[in-house]
Amino acid sequence: MTVTYTTKTGATQYKPSFAWIESVVHSDGDWGFCLGCGNHQTGCEPDARRYKCDDCGAAKVYGAEELALMGLFHYTD
């Protein structure tokens, strides 16, 4: 599940659930998550920070481990 937040500047930001991060970290996948549109992306290393989003073009795609380290997730599902 993805939750939408509004940042201090008024921009919309999406965050994945902790359960999603945990499932990706424990899999062999190379999934990333775009904070700009909330879509999942392939080809993103778990500890990567910036890859261009295939869907919205934002440079805010993070691997699951990086999201966990930065605290960019939510606990509710």
Side-chain angles (χ1 to χ4, degrees), residues 29-33 41-49 51 61-64:
D30 58 350
W31 290 95
F33 184 86
Q41 305 288 315
T42 58
C44 187
E45 294 296 321
D47 59 350
R49 286 186 182 220
Y51 284 85
V61 179
Y62 297 90

Side-chain angles (χ1 to χ4, degrees), residues 8 13-14 21 23 26-29 31 45 47-48 54 58 60 63-64 67-69 71 74:
K8 292 178 183 178
Q13 185 177 62
Y14 297 86
I21 289 176
S23 69
H26 293 295
S27 73
D28 292 330
W31 290 95
E45 294 296 321
D47 59 350
D54 296 333
K60 296 180 181 179
L67 287 167
L69 287 172
H74 66 92

Side-chain angles (χ1 to χ4, degrees), residues 3-19:
V3 172
T4 306
Y5 292 91
T6 302
T7 65
K8 292 178 183 178
T9 62
T12 299
Q13 185 177 62
Y14 297 86
K15 293 183 181 179
S17 68
F18 183 76

